Amino acid sequence: MKASLDGVTLQVSDVERSCDFYSKIPGAEVVLHIPGRVAILRIGEARIGLIGTGEHRGFHLELLTEHLDDMYDALRENGLKITGKPTVRPWGERTFILLDPDGYPLEFEEIEPGHKHV
């Protein structure tokens, strides 16, 4: 069982403005866009997620794993603070959030069968 850094998600004040900005980076490709809510861009092997929060509030790291339940159990057994059980997201990822000592969220994710990794 292992995790690999998959991307970063920024909490942004305006999804459309940020999507327009990041899509101008050569090689960037918009792979998901729900106006006013979320956009995901792939740049090389990694992703930049843009979550519309109405204000700049920070970011979270995304770590991809093939065995989400095993990772969840291992992190809990190590006494780390997880915010909730794994949840299926509308775009086909199953995720849970782990907080680091400063409160930065690390989102562990697994792609659900039948879904494409956006």
Side-chain angles (χ1 to χ4, degrees):
M1 166 187 48
K2 66 177 184 172
S4 63
L5 185 61
D6 191 41
V8 62
T9 295
L10 307 174
Q11 297 177 5
V12 300
S13 59
D14 185 319
V15 171
E16 276 55 56
R17 183 179 67 191
S18 293
C19 186
D20 181 59
F21 173 85
Y22 283 99
S23 67
K24 291 178 181 174
I25 296 172
E29 173 190 5
V30 177
V31 294
L32 175 74
H33 185 201
I34 301 172
R37 293 186 53 206
V38 65
I40 298 175
L41 296 91
R42 182 163 294 287
I43 301 176
E45 296 297 316
R47 300 176 308 151
I48 295 177
L50 307 169
I51 301 282
T53 60
E55 62 182 316
H56 164 72
R57 291 184 18 200
F59 67 94
H60 70 264
L61 298 177
E62 298 169 14
L63 297 116
L64 186 62
T65 183
E66 292 181 2
H67 305 285
L68 192 71
D69 292 320
D70 293 341
M71 182 67 71
Y72 177 83
D73 292 341
L75 294 170
R76 283 190 48 187
E77 288 169 11
N78 287 335
L80 299 176
K81 183 177 180 179
I82 299 173
T83 63
K85 293 183 179 181
T87 303
V88 176
R89 305 298 179 187
W91 48 90
E93 292 175 349
R94 192 164 160 258
T95 71
F96 68 85
I97 305 290
L98 168 72
L99 298 178
D100 86 351
D102 289 308
Y104 288 109
L106 284 71
E107 180 179 47
F108 287 82
E109 57 192 34
E110 173 184 74
I111 308 307
E112 286 288 282
H115 285 86
K116 181 182 173 193
H117 189 221
V118 294

